[in-house]
Amino acid sequence: MLSQSTSYYLPEPSHWPVVGSCALFLMTFGGVLWMNEVTAGPWVVFAGMLTLVYMMFGWFGTVIRESEGGKYNKQVDLSFRWSMSWFIFSEVMFFAAFFGALFYMRVLSVPGLGSGDTMEQLWPGFVAQWPVSGPGIEEKFTSMGAWGIPAINTLILLTSGVTVTWAHWALKKNNRTQLIAGLAVTVALGILFLTLQAYEYVHAYHELGLTLGMGAYGATFFMLTGFHGFHVTIGTIMLIVILGRSIAGHFTADHHFAFEGVSWYWHFVDVVWLLLFVLVYWL
Amino acid sequence: MSAVIGHEHDHDHDHAHGHEYHPGGLMRWVKTTNHKDIGTMYLWFSFVMFLTGGFMAMVIRAELFKPGMQIVNPEVFNQMTTLHGLIMVFGAIMPAFVGFANWLIPMQIGAPDMAFPRMNNWSFWLLPPAALLLIISLFVPGGAPGVGWTLYAPLTVQQGMGMDLTIFAVHILGMSSIMGSINIVTTILNLRAPGMTLMKMPLFVWTWLITAYLLIAVMPVFAGAVTMTLTDRHFGTHFFNAAGGGDPVLYQHIFWFFGHPEVYIIAIPAFGVVSQVIPAFSRKPLFGYTSMVYAVASIAILSFLVWAHHMYTTGLPVTAQLYYMYATMLIAVPTGVKVFNWVATMWKGSLTFETPMLFSLGFLFLFTIGGFSGLVLSIVPVDIQLQDTYYVVAHFHYVMVAGALFSAFAGIYFWLPKWTGHMYDETLGKVHFWLSFIFFNMIFFVQHFLGLAGMPRRVPDYAPQFTDFNMISSIGAFGFGLSQLLFLYVVIKTIRSHEPAPQKPWEGADSLEWTHLPTPAPYHSFVTPPTVK
Ligand SMILES: [Cu+2]
């Protein structure tokens, strides 16, 4: 069992942060080269990503060893709780910027382009409606319906929220089988969600003519669902890590912040999806 | 307050012995998890950036010394104004105050260190790669972005690859700020010594709690804005393009939702420093502590509700203009409470005027002028006249330089004895203050007149009738720039001095770092938390 230390844990000097800085520099610098068609670009990005993965294994591995070694007392645990809450708040604000852009386009810029002098002098005859690409875009597209795959995906994510909570109950009762089963089902649902989302994108590009370049609707649709999908991917990877740790016998009934942090994150991703479903797909 | 354990660890390099591992040389700084080391790095980094951004300001002022084009071409001039703004805001002022936060918060709340020392290290070490990206942008085809620090679309969509470097620099700086802020908030909320209730915290700690909250709330929004710029540039989106149903003004809305709180992110820690310094040299406790806390909190909340006062000329509906005008004016109320409290603290105090106090008073006078010119600019019909003139430049430099930078100087002189263990040279400090104060006003006071007379900002040439004031401004700028080298000399002299400073060189100072810790502050602040009564 874990024996907890009494004083606040202060880690030794560490080289992982600076490795992470190198990784981000390579990824961003390489990304700039890549976007500007410099041949070395993709390779630099790839090197950066490898460095980042190396850093994550090293850094998180250290944290897991420290946690399992009983170095984190209740106060450290509370620090993790505060920090995860604030981190999720920052993520909320990131999504808020894109939801704000969606609101602005639907309520202000598109109606503005379709009325009054702006319409008559710039694009006469442009009818403001939603979904729309924009007055200067000739190609046609079909918008994404809400009641096909998106509705199924809503069900999948909501169910996964239930299964992760079911796993949490199991952990608190020390029922390892149910914990592992609950997490495994959650991971499977996450992967299923991502697969359907990928299918939906292929469908959008090949059959609906709906691309990132399709003006107001295309940009907000893909950026919002894309960043959400990216967050689901991160959440799924974190769930896989937690599943592996559960199988390895980590966590106790009253010391398992990593599990809770991941489940908070998963619920956050869930709530963002509900907003997406209503504001992007449905209305 | 109870006696303190000023716990001195032996800095033994023998690993078998101690649980402590201290790499030497450069690796000490690269790998450090100590809040004081990290605070020092933040402060030095910000000073290097201050000189870099300052050099760019010198280029701008040299070009503007006379009408006509003399030193740089317009493209380079635009790049200089852009990088000067970005570097000063994100590279110099913000990191300087994070440096203060690192050094002081654990000491002032009786904590052993920051809550997440490794993440703290990363927050710092993300700054050099971001700065590197910005500097590299000068040397790529097309050069650095010449769009102004606000990075407005659609110009940003049309720039060369320097813009992409800037966008990613902003992303990395944002990560650094968010991680740093989460660390600060967690430290303050969870690592306070027993008895250190929220309303007993020194005001500097309060101001950082609120600043960190603002940073966590708005840095992601800025990241979103530049991400849209990036996808508009390379991935075919139309966020800022009317042909695709977007709007360049959308960028301004998102940017200023970040940008206005950003002003307070810079100003609020400055309020915190001044609120420590003025009571110390008045030998009186801060007047109206509680109202100070509420004033800062209400400034922070109001800062989310006024962003479009930067956009009066974009065709906002009149109703919106009226709302933003009145909401902006409302901020004068809590700001007035603060200025009143600082003055009331000095009222009947036993005042002395050492360098930190001089800089704080400089702050008080000049920041108030900047606040008043802000009030002038908040009035819609006036702003429509003054938009993008030198009046605006004068206004925000009174806030940024005389506000934030002067209070940073005040803080450095104030805590330098605690940090280095040595006293700085009082005479040179005072000379530094007076040079800075006079040259600052020479640069920027006249710019009010230039702006009122209609001289536009961000243009490398001007009509001949503006020549005299521009010459005065440029001479002031060179003087101000040179005076900062004196500051560098004073700091180095202090570090190298052999004169030990007392534990509490300032009679009126009363926070834990003065009352409970020796000078210089030990490597680990409070291994065992003190009990605060
Ligand atoms: Cu503002």
Side-chain angles (χ1 to χ4, degrees):
Chain A
M1 272 299 98
L2 306 173
S3 60
Q4 290 195 345
S5 87
T6 48
S7 65
Y8 196 87
Y9 179 67
L10 297 177
E12 286 184 338
S14 166
H15 63 284
W16 295 118
V18 80
V19 173
S21 295
C22 295
L24 285 178
F25 179 77
L26 290 173
M27 285 167 68
T28 50
F29 186 62
V32 172
L33 296 180
W34 194 348
M35 284 186 289
N36 291 279
E37 275 132 27
V38 179
T39 339
W43 296 102
V44 181
V45 172
F46 186 63
M49 285 167 78
L50 281 184
T51 316
L52 189 72
V53 170
Y54 168 66
M55 179 277 261
M56 284 178 160
F57 268 94
W59 192 335
F60 296 152
T62 313
V63 172
I64 291 170
R65 273 192 303 280
E66 287 167 358
S67 173
E68 291 300 307
K71 288 183 174 167
Y72 297 164
N73 61 12
K74 281 271 178 281
Q75 198 184 8
V76 177
D77 195 68
L78 193 56
S79 286
F80 286 137
R81 278 159 207 279
W82 275 120
S83 63
M84 191 67 192
S85 317
W86 285 99
F87 171 65
I88 290 175
F89 172 57
S90 78
E91 293 272 46
V92 168
M93 294 307 291
F94 181 76
F95 276 100
F98 287 90
F99 277 111
L102 173 65
F103 172 84
Y104 185 90
M105 284 175 161
R106 284 189 69 162
V107 177
L108 292 164
S109 67
V110 168
L113 287 165
S115 64
D117 283 352
T118 317
M119 186 266 281
E120 275 159 27
Q121 298 190 4
L122 288 175
W123 285 283
F126 173 66
V127 183
Q129 56 189 0
W130 193 265
V132 75
S133 52
I137 294 176
E138 305 280 311
E139 299 94 325
K140 293 276 166 284
F141 73 93
T142 316
S143 65
M144 189 61 70
W147 299 108
I149 291 178
I152 298 172
N153 264 347
T154 309
L155 265 180
I156 291 173
L157 272 195
L158 287 177
T159 314
S160 75
V162 174
T163 54
V164 81
T165 308
W166 189 61
H168 191 199
W169 289 345
L171 178 51
K172 286 206 272 197
K173 288 182 303 196
N174 238 332
N175 181 344
R176 305 300 291 197
T177 330
Q178 187 187 328
L179 164 67
I180 291 164
L183 277 175
V185 174
T186 314
V187 169
L189 288 170
I191 293 171
L192 183 60
F193 173 93
L194 287 169
T195 316
L196 288 174
Q197 187 81 8
Y199 172 78
E200 184 189 89
Y201 276 15
V202 174
H203 176 64
Y205 262 77
H206 290 285
E207 278 130 59
L208 301 182
L210 172 58
T211 66
L212 200 52
M214 274 304 125
Y217 185 83
T220 50
F221 173 81
F222 280 107
M223 293 301 278
L224 275 162
T225 57
F227 270 116
H228 176 262
F230 176 64
H231 281 74
V232 174
T233 312
I234 293 174
T236 308
I237 294 170
M238 297 199 300
L239 282 167
I240 293 171
V241 173
I242 296 303
L243 174 60
R245 290 185 62 186
S246 301
I247 294 170
H250 291 191
F251 308 128
T252 64
D254 57 0
H255 185 87
H256 52 259
F257 173 71
F259 181 100
E260 283 183 72
V262 172
S263 77
W264 292 354
Y265 193 79
W266 195 249
H267 290 307
F268 152 71
V269 165
D270 215 355
V271 171
V272 173
W273 175 261
L274 288 178
L275 284 174
L276 282 180
F277 182 71
V278 175
L279 296 172
V280 175
Y281 289 98
W282 187 6
L283 296 179
Chain B
M1 295 184 190
S2 77
V4 122
I5 305 106
H7 204 107
E8 273 287 357
H9 273 249
D10 55 340
H11 289 241
D12 196 344
H13 285 257
D14 185 0
H15 291 203
H17 250 304
H19 49 284
E20 291 215 27
Y21 155 59
H22 289 305
L26 182 65
M27 278 301 130
R28 166 182 170 188
W29 301 100
V30 173
K31 297 167 85 168
T32 183
T33 46
N34 179 279
H35 72 102
K36 298 193 179 78
D37 284 353
I38 294 169
T40 305
M41 290 196 294
Y42 264 111
L43 288 164
W44 277 111
F45 175 85
S46 84
F47 193 74
V48 171
M49 286 293 113
F50 173 62
L51 292 184
T52 314
F55 172 76
M56 292 167 174
M58 295 303 115
V59 175
I60 295 168
R61 283 318 318 173
E63 176 58 50
L64 292 173
F65 187 73
K66 281 195 306 190
M69 303 304 300
Q70 27 256 328
I71 297 173
V72 292
N73 60 43
E75 287 74 30
V76 174
F77 185 88
N78 289 344
Q79 295 172 17
M80 288 297 113
T81 53
T82 306
L83 285 186
H84 165 73
L86 287 172
I87 287 178
M88 286 306 202
V89 169
F90 295 103
I93 297 180
M94 285 167 66
F97 284 111
V98 183
F100 279 105
N102 262 292
W103 257 100
L104 297 171
I105 290 174
M107 295 203 285
Q108 293 194 328
I109 63 172
D113 203 296
M114 297 292 280
F116 302 106
R118 271 185 298 239
M119 186 167 82
N120 199 16
N121 172 301
W122 204 21
S123 305
F124 172 77
W125 279 105
L126 281 173
L127 297 179
L132 196 59
L133 288 173
L134 281 179
I135 301 295
I136 291 174
S137 77
L138 280 165
F139 305 102
V140 297
V147 296
W149 82 278
T150 49
L151 309 178
Y152 273 11
L155 198 50
T156 46
V157 182
Q158 299 152 1
Q159 293 273 308
M161 71 194 279
M163 191 62 223
D164 300 319
L165 290 162
T166 307
I167 288 172
F168 283 128
V170 166
H171 280 131
I172 295 182
L173 290 166
M175 286 177 66
S176 160
S177 293
I178 292 168
M179 285 194 282
S181 302
I182 290 176
N183 215 336
I184 288 169
V185 171
T186 307
T187 307
I188 298 173
L189 293 177
N190 195 35
L191 264 66
R192 296 193 310 280
M196 177 64 79
T197 58
L198 285 175
M199 292 312 273
K200 273 188 195 157
M201 296 194 308
L203 209 76
F204 177 76
V205 181
W206 256 113
T207 55
W208 249 111
L209 179 62
I210 290 164
T211 304
Y213 158 71
L214 287 178
L215 274 166
I216 299 171
V218 300
M219 285 312 289
V221 175
F222 189 26
V226 294
T227 304
M228 290 176 211
T229 308
L230 189 77
T231 59
D232 269 18
R233 287 168 56 78
H234 292 290
F235 301 102
T237 58
H238 295 81
F239 284 107
F240 309 134
N241 184 344
D247 188 350
V249 177
L250 170 59
Y251 176 85
Q252 298 188 24
H253 278 289
I254 307 176
F255 176 81
W256 285 114
F257 183 82
F258 148 82
H260 190 82
E262 170 68 21
V263 174
Y264 294 102
I265 286 165
I266 285 170
I268 289 177
F271 297 164
V273 168
V274 169
S275 302
Q276 302 291 116
V277 173
I278 289 182
F281 294 95
S282 307
R283 290 157 183 83
K284 272 176 67 190
L286 184 69
F287 182 87
Y289 172 91
T290 316
S291 65
M292 285 302 234
V293 172
Y294 285 115
V296 176
S298 36
I299 289 174
I301 290 163
L302 285 172
S303 76
F304 286 108
L305 307 172
V306 297
W307 74 88
H309 61 209
H310 298 267
M311 302 165 54
Y312 287 148
T313 55
T314 58
L316 288 182
V318 174
T319 339
Q321 290 182 339
L322 284 173
Y323 160 73
Y324 282 108
M325 176 167 84
Y326 289 126
T328 304
M329 288 175 168
L330 209 56
I331 297 185
V333 177
T335 312
V337 168
K338 301 193 73 67
V339 172
F340 177 85
N341 284 348
W342 287 320
V343 175
T345 304
M346 289 186 283
W347 179 254
K348 291 189 174 170
S350 153
L351 299 172
T352 50
F353 299 93
E354 286 87 344
T355 314
M357 183 63 163
L358 287 176
F359 270 108
S360 296
L361 290 174
F363 162 93
L364 193 54
F365 281 100
L366 300 179
F367 178 81
T368 305
I369 294 178
F372 278 131
S373 58
L375 211 48
V376 171
L377 286 169
S378 75
I379 302 165
V380 178
V382 178
D383 182 82
I384 288 169
Q385 288 293 310
L386 295 177
Q387 170 94 24
D388 277 332
T389 67
Y390 265 84
Y391 192 88
V392 178
V393 176
H395 156 68
F396 70 72
H397 281 91
Y398 268 78
V399 175
M400 297 281 157
V401 180
L405 183 67
F406 274 25
S407 84
F409 284 144
I412 287 169
Y413 284 110
F414 188 61
W415 280 292
L416 209 51
K418 183 55 73 179
W419 295 345
T420 62
H422 308 143
M423 219 46 205
Y424 63 88
D425 187 321
E426 190 62 61
T427 319
L428 286 182
K430 283 182 176 157
V431 172
H432 173 225
F433 166 73
W434 285 111
L435 289 176
S436 298
F437 185 85
I438 292 164
F439 284 129
F440 169 82
N441 283 296
M442 233 174 114
I443 312 172
F444 293 112
F445 198 74
V446 293
Q447 291 186 1
H448 290 113
F449 306 130
L450 285 171
L452 289 168
M455 178 173 164
R457 65 190 282 213
R458 291 172 171 166
V459 180
D461 193 3
Y462 52 83
Q465 69 265 32
F466 300 134
T467 310
D468 292 346
F469 282 146
N470 269 293
M471 280 188 175
I472 295 172
S473 186
S474 289
I475 293 168
F478 304 140
F480 190 86
L482 288 176
S483 315
Q484 305 323 312
L485 299 178
L486 173 65
F487 171 67
L488 178 63
Y489 172 74
V490 176
V491 171
I492 291 174
K493 190 173 169 222
T494 312
I495 294 170
R496 296 190 152 189
S497 135
H498 296 292
E499 237 182 287
Q503 175 178 336
K504 191 156 107 54
W506 317 121
E507 211 184 332
D510 63 353
S511 43
L512 292 182
E513 78 275 27
W514 304 111
T515 55
H516 280 55
L517 288 174
T519 293
Y523 196 63
H524 294 278
S525 300
F526 290 102
V527 177
T528 313
T531 306
V532 181
K533 290 211 184 79

